[in-house]
Amino acid sequence: MKRITLVIASVIAVAAALASCSTAVPREDPILHRSVRTTAELDALLAQKDRSPILIDLRDRKDFEAGHIPNFLNISNADGGDLLATWITPIKRTKPVILICYGGNRSARAFEQLVIMGFREIADFSPGYAAYSREKGEGYRAETGSCDCPEPK
């Protein structure tokens, strides 16, 4: 019993110490993160033409060329985000960004990277392109071919 009490006290002390040394950068505006979970939600966001979001597909180039959602740029995040960081650096931080990858992992990493870079409005289609094309059904015709997108160095 004494040992359990000691372990609990240690955990509380560590949690309090971690909470007191926050490394978060103070922000004037809150981060508007939207985890988009359905194709209908994503299509509704894409239909908002007045917002002109930055549309980024983080899959590898060959997957992108095999099929992608129209108007998305292919910026592979396979390199750990270096290409994304280089390409997006000059973009205004107030522009909304919509991210998609194959299954959700790369877009989650890219979201964290964009927050650190100061972007405030980020939508992440967490189910990924595979779920998007599957949910659209047999009649869905993905855009194919390459785009004039940044290349890894």
Side-chain angles (χ1 to χ4, degrees):
M1 184 68 167
K2 206 177 204 183
R3 186 174 178 190
I4 293 173
T5 304
L6 182 61
V7 169
I8 292 172
S10 298
V11 169
I12 291 171
V14 168
L18 289 174
S20 68
C21 24
S22 172
T23 57
V25 177
R27 300 181 74 89
E28 293 175 14
D29 300 319
I31 299 167
L32 301 173
H33 174 237
R34 181 169 184 178
S35 183
V36 180
R37 302 238 181 251
T38 68
T39 297
E41 284 181 273
L42 180 58
D43 287 343
L45 277 177
L46 296 175
Q48 297 176 359
K49 300 292 183 199
D50 60 321
R51 305 272 302 140
S52 63
I54 301 165
L55 308 173
I56 302 174
D57 186 320
L58 300 156
R59 295 176 298 145
D60 292 333
R61 185 164 299 275
K62 69 176 179 113
D63 292 333
F64 179 84
E65 290 175 352
H68 57 271
I69 302 169
N71 302 315
F72 272 76
L73 288 174
N74 179 228
I75 304 175
S76 176
N77 205 25
D79 65 357
D82 293 343
L83 179 62
L84 176 63
T86 301
W87 181 84
I88 208 159
T89 294
I91 304 293
K92 203 171 179 187
R93 302 304 190 251
T94 55
K95 293 225 17 127
V97 178
I98 299 176
L99 302 169
I100 192 168
C101 63
Y102 185 77
N105 293 327
R106 288 183 185 179
S107 60
R109 286 193 311 261
F111 166 78
E112 292 171 7
Q113 184 177 8
L114 294 176
V115 167
I116 290 168
M117 293 179 74
F119 283 85
R120 297 188 323 243
E121 190 174 350
I122 308 162
D124 170 19
F125 185 65
S126 53
Y129 182 78
Y132 182 86
S133 60
R134 189 172 47 250
E135 198 173 314
K136 281 293 207 177
E138 283 186 36
Y140 174 64
R141 296 274 183 231
E143 192 167 288
T144 58
S146 62
C147 74
D148 185 21
C149 301
E151 290 281 346
K153 293 182 181 181

